[in-house]
């Protein structure tokens, strides 16, 4: 059996798609499961046990119409797919199913332009629906006996050991608790107040002297923001400002070694969750925590209010204290 799963878009979306991949692998252990995604995300899924082949699409592939259509045609005609699951169901992604009309199960989302392409259409995700439940709902026509709610990533023992050695060289004691902190974010409308974040971290450092903090940030503006917060805190010894994951694989390795995550909600939180580590995040007002912080056996919580102004220092500090107590750091 050959199965094609399509999930273009951002890091978090692709990671959450692994509940579909894991469920397919559990029910069809011998199937070839191919995963179409953005090229820059492929390193994250290297060695994933549910994936047989990664099919990357570069920005050039996706933004040149003839080149894109040629690659889609080639993808679905190199082998016959028994199942195509289009998790995006856009005008572009539905070409995979359109070019493969003999595929028995062509599964997508119910949008105005998709009714002639898919033979099963699921309604788009509601704001009160978990993305795990939404993604697994795409598998309904297959009537699978076993559903897998965990979303996962894979890291080799060698990669994990190399990053553990690097963290030790940077002064991190892995026998003590380590918190990865998303002090900032790529987009301003997904970033809580810098002043309020600084104050919460000041209290955290004072009240939890054994806790080691690693600031997570990308080069450029995020790094500038993170280092500014570090300076405002007085460059405390509890913060390892220069411990950096320089690739997606290293971020997975680091996430497998930490104790927990706190900070702004984003792709890094999904990686941490996929590595089985607990998280508490501050959600952007426009994002639904029910949708983007799915519930499974890993502790994952979000602080959400109608506006960032309503998310006060005292509110976050109380939630953070409760979180730390429950995950027994």
């Amino acid at each position: 059996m050959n199965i094609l799963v399509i999930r273009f878009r951002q890091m978090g979306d692709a990671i959450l798609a692994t509940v579909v991949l894991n469920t397919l692998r559990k029910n069809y252990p011998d199937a070839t499961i191919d995963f179409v995604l953005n090229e820059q995300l492929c390193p994250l899924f290297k060695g994933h046990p549910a994936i047989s082949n990664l099919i990357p699409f570069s920005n050039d592939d996706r933004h040149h119409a003839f080149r894109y259509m040629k690659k889609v045609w080639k993808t679905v005609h190199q082998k016959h797919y028994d199942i195509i699951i289009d998790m995006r169901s856009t005008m572009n992604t539905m070409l995979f199913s359109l070019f493969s009309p003999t595929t028995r199960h062509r599964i997508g989302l119910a949008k105005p332009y998709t009714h002639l392409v898919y033979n099963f259409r699921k309604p788009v995700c509601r704001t009160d629906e978990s993305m795990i439940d939404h993604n697994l709902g795409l598998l309904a026509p297959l009537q699978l006996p076993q559903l897998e709610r965990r979303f996962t990533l894979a890291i080799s023992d060698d990669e994990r050991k190399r990053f553990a050695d690097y963290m030790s060289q940077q002064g991190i004691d892995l026998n003590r608790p380590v918190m990865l902190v998303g002090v900032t974010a790529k987009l301003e409308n997904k970033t809580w107040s810098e002043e309020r974040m600084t104050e919460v971290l000041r209290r955290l450092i004072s009240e939890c002297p054994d806790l080691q903090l690693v600031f997570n940030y990308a080069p450029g503006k995020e790094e500038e923001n993170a280092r500014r917060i570090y300076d405002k805190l007085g460059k405390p010894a509890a913060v390892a400002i220069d411990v950096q994951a320089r690739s997606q694989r290293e971020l997975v390795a680091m996430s497998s070694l930490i104790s927990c995550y706190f900070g702004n909600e984003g792709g890094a939180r999904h990686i941490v969750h996929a590595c089985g580590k607990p998280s508490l995040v501050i959600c952007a007002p426009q994002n639904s925590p029910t949708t983007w912080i799915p519930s499974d056996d890993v502790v994952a919580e979000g602080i959400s209010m109608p506006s960032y102004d309503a998310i006060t220092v005292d509110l976050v500090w109380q939630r953070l204290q409760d979180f730390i107590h429950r995950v027994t750091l």
Side-chain angles (χ1 to χ4, degrees):
M1 177 178 288
N2 296 320
I3 303 171
L4 184 68
V5 179
I6 303 128
R7 194 33 164 145
F8 291 129
R9 220 179 170 205
Q10 303 300 324
M11 180 190 296
D13 303 285
I15 294 171
L16 289 170
T18 61
V19 296
V20 170
L21 300 166
N22 291 336
T23 296
L24 290 168
R25 178 60 68 205
K26 178 176 284 190
N27 289 274
Y28 304 120
D30 299 322
T32 295
I33 302 174
D34 296 341
F35 191 31
V36 172
L37 72 169
N38 302 68
E39 182 180 51
Q40 66 269 25
L41 296 180
C42 283
L44 267 180
F45 300 94
K46 176 184 175 184
H48 196 290
I51 301 170
S52 304
N53 301 293
L54 294 167
I55 303 177
F57 274 66
S58 67
N59 287 333
D60 286 342
D61 291 332
R62 296 180 65 214
H63 295 118
H64 291 80
F66 179 74
R67 179 171 171 175
Y68 176 78
M69 287 189 289
K70 183 179 178 181
K71 186 164 183 176
V72 172
W73 178 272
K74 183 179 179 180
T75 298
V76 297
H77 284 84
Q78 281 184 327
K79 66 180 71 167
H80 173 74
Y81 286 105
D82 303 283
I83 302 168
I84 294 178
I85 301 170
D86 183 356
M87 303 183 72
R88 284 281 283 148
S89 303
T90 65
M91 294 290 288
N92 286 333
T93 62
M94 71 181 186
L95 291 178
F96 288 92
S97 292
L98 188 65
F99 291 166
S100 187
T102 60
T103 293
R104 180 181 178 187
H105 294 286
R106 300 184 308 280
I107 301 170
L109 299 177
K111 297 181 178 181
Y113 50 82
T114 62
H115 66 283
L116 295 178
V117 178
Y118 307 114
N119 52 25
F120 175 83
R121 300 192 306 151
K122 184 195 182 302
V124 297
C125 188
R126 306 184 311 272
T127 56
D128 63 344
E129 183 181 21
S130 160
M131 190 54 68
I132 289 181
D133 292 329
H134 171 76
N135 288 347
L136 291 175
L138 288 163
L139 302 177
L142 304 179
Q143 298 181 330
L144 303 177
Q146 303 178 79
L147 298 180
E148 177 53 69
R149 295 185 59 84
R150 281 292 305 275
F151 53 98
T152 59
L153 293 169
I155 195 75
S156 70
D157 291 341
D158 185 58
E159 289 173 295
R160 192 172 188 273
K161 183 181 184 306
R162 282 202 305 269
F163 204 84
D165 290 343
Y166 162 70
M167 291 179 74
S168 296
Q169 291 165 10
Q170 294 294 315
I172 298 292
D173 181 356
L174 292 175
N175 293 313
R176 293 166 49 206
V178 179
M179 175 183 283
L180 186 62
V181 184
V183 289
T184 186
K186 180 170 63 174
L187 301 176
E188 287 188 14
N189 67 347
K190 292 188 175 182
T191 308
W192 190 47
S193 160
E194 183 175 301
E195 294 302 321
R196 294 182 182 187
M197 176 66 77
T198 303
E199 176 56 30
V200 167
L201 293 177
R202 183 174 286 115
R203 296 183 187 183
L204 179 63
I205 291 167
S206 174
E207 295 297 321
C208 302
D210 198 46
L211 184 61
Q212 303 166 98
L213 308 183
V214 174
F215 283 6
N216 180 61
Y217 53 81
K221 183 68 177 294
E222 287 186 44
E223 181 170 357
E224 291 175 14
N225 295 345
R227 290 189 180 277
R228 186 167 57 249
I229 291 173
Y230 177 65
D231 290 342
K232 289 179 180 178
L233 289 169
K235 300 182 178 181
V239 176
I241 189 66
D242 291 316
V243 173
Q244 299 180 46
R246 300 184 183 277
S247 70
Q248 294 174 1
R249 300 296 302 170
E250 287 193 349
L251 184 54
V252 178
M254 179 162 64
S255 297
S256 73
L257 293 162
I258 64 167
S259 308
C260 65
Y261 179 92
F262 163 71
N264 290 285
E265 198 276 331
R269 191 217 73 83
H270 290 87
I271 292 178
V272 168
H273 193 143
C275 291
K277 305 295 182 173
S279 60
L280 171 68
V281 291
I282 300 163
C283 300
Q286 69 272 21
N287 290 348
S288 165
T290 302
T291 299
W292 294 108
I293 308 178
S295 174
D296 58 16
D297 59 345
V298 178
V299 175
E301 301 175 3
I303 302 170
S304 178
M305 298 292 281
S307 72
Y308 270 135
D309 286 342
I311 303 178
T312 65
V313 168
D314 287 341
L315 170 63
V316 174
W317 175 237
Q318 183 60 57
R319 290 288 301 275
L320 184 55
Q321 286 179 295
D322 294 343
F323 171 75
I324 289 173
H325 176 72
R326 277 184 291 104
V327 300
T328 63
L329 294 182

